[in-house]
Amino acid sequence: MLSKLADSTPAMPGLMLASAAGSDSQRTLYPYVTGTSVVGIKYKDGILLAADMGGSYGSTLRYKTVERMKPVGKHSIIGASGELSDFQEIMRYLDELILNDNMWDDGNSLGPKEVLNYLTRVMYNRRNKFNPLWNSLVLGGIKNGKKYLGTVSMIGVHYEDNHVATGFGNHLARPILRDEWHDDMTFEEGVKLLEKCMRVLLYRDRSAVNKLQFHSETLINVNDKLLLLSTAFEWLSKMPKFYTHKQIAKITEEGVTISQPYSLKTFWGFSAFQNPTVGAEGSW
Amino acid sequence: MTKQQANWSPYDNNGGTCVAIAGADYCVIAADTRMSTGYSILSRDYSKIIQLADKSLMASSGFQADVRALQKVLAARHLIYQHQHNKQMSCPAMAQLLSNTLYYKRFFPYYAFNVLGGLDSEGKGCVFTYDAVGSYERVGYSSQGSGATLITPFLDNQLKSPSPLLLPAKDAVTPLSESEAIDLVKTCFASASERDIYTGDKLEIVILNASGIRREYLELRKD
């Protein structure tokens, strides 16, 4: 019986032929401008996604106002980490998907599960052709009261859970979420939990920038919608002054609101950082 | 300057272990519910078992995206079979289909390690075990995946008569009763979880017999 295949050696014949024909330059080999982690959770009324607004060019933090989360159709939000140009291409695929869905004009619309399933097929297919879309995607949404949150990687590995994260988020945020996430969190609790995760990522992920966006997908009826929005603004006004402007994004049944970018408060005044060379003879 | 080569692999190992045991009139298929990548756990609650037909269940570990694609292909083929033959596929028929489907991708394989379990046309339990490119045989019991190296020797010892180590095997199926087989499976996974980092969280057991299908769950170590 064939024993396990070595992970590091993909089947080569296809690649050989392509390089002979000179079309190797058409394949994605490595990413150029990348986004870092996206973190998402389910809460009482829907889904909350958070991501910073950075686009790194290798080790340079080149772009600082990149929207890495976008609404999709009526029911979903997508967040992406990895190559930003591939994310833009994915958005074009999704625009076409949603357009065709709308053209049916049958009163039905693609929910988050369907959209993520489509994306999983797309990612897997590109991986099969050895030309991946270099992204890890998070997709969340609500349809008919049912919440959905899932993720797919650049080689097509996908799963759903109450909380998901990409990249560094998997290592730093998921443990926090496993410990502190619980069912039926309020909006404020959800944002606070996500901020905690994003703060850890800001401290420890070198490609993170201190400029965040939140996206939320909420299911509320018309009366409640007005109530919920006003609660959000009230909460915003109570925020301490070092927050510049804040944007909280909500997707209700009727539309998406995206928060203004804002920054997290960080603390660098730990005594060990103040005079780091004290006690280390010979250091400078 | 030399051209930079591709540095990504189209494969990943998402871990997990699967076990199946065939009895005189039942079949037990079990798999853990942990999905991992590298040293991280992606999900503690991901099912590796799928019901392909009335009397066939497949449990697969390995690269989850390939497993998913394989499940979809088989489900689609089964649907076509039902349209064409006006009946469900038997377990041995599904076994052949799975083998052919895997070999079809002989030169870019599905990184999936499968056990197929169910009841044959006579109502006897049957288990088929596969490698990644479709080589298969009918056995009385089998284990695949990251914990297989820990579980298989234990099953060989406990299920002596259907073991292929007695050449030829004395029995086609285990003489154990259904509840004894389930207990044995639980012991297997409890042990494997101790030493295999990719096995744990929860165990999903599916039991197929003449009266139908049922599921049992058991909590496993979460570390």
Side-chain angles (χ1 to χ4, degrees), chain A residues 116 120 148 151-153 156-160, chain B residues 35 46 64 68:
Chain A
L116 186 62
T120 306
Y148 182 88
T151 179
V152 61
S153 78
V157 173
H158 120 280
Y159 62 97
E160 340 160 359
Chain B
M35 191 166 108
Y46 187 85
Q64 188 257 2
R68 197 48 136 188

Side-chain angles (χ1 to χ4, degrees), chain B residues 151-170:
Chain B
I151 293 177
T152 306
F154 179 61
L155 288 177
D156 285 339
N157 173 266
Q158 295 295 306
L159 300 171
K160 288 196 176 68
S161 57
S163 162
L165 297 173
L166 252 34
L167 197 62
K170 204 164 107 209

Side-chain angles (χ1 to χ4, degrees), chain A residues 84-116:
Chain A
L84 290 177
S85 61
D86 281 348
F87 176 49
Q88 290 168 359
E89 174 127 349
I90 287 169
M91 286 315 297
R92 289 210 317 275
Y93 284 147
L94 288 175
D95 285 342
E96 198 179 323
L97 181 77
I98 299 297
L99 177 73
N100 286 325
D101 185 42
N102 291 339
M103 296 317 296
W104 285 104
D105 200 20
D106 58 0
N108 196 12
S109 48
L110 290 171
K113 194 179 169 87
E114 290 88 69
V115 174
L116 186 62

Side-chain angles (χ1 to χ4, degrees), chain A residues 1-2 4-5 7 10-11 24 29-30 121 124 127-128 130 132 134 155-159 170-171 174 178, chain B residues 4 6-12 14 35 40-42 44 63-66 68-69 72 107-108 111 131 145:
Chain A
M1 289 227 177
L2 195 78
K4 285 189 199 244
L5 299 163
D7 277 7
D24 234 8
L29 294 176
Y30 31 79
R121 291 298 108 220
Y124 184 68
R127 162 262 185 201
N128 284 347
F130 276 83
W134 206 290
I155 47 174
V157 173
H158 120 280
Y159 62 97
N170 260 319
H171 295 104
R174 286 308 282 295
R178 286 208 174 103
Chain B
Q4 201 183 334
N7 54 2
W8 66 280
S9 168
Y11 292 111
D12 188 15
N14 301 118
M35 191 166 108
S40 298
I41 296 177
L42 294 175
R44 296 190 189 273
F63 175 43
Q64 188 257 2
D66 273 348
R68 197 48 136 188
K72 278 173 167 267
F107 300 109
F108 186 13
Y111 192 79
D131 73 355

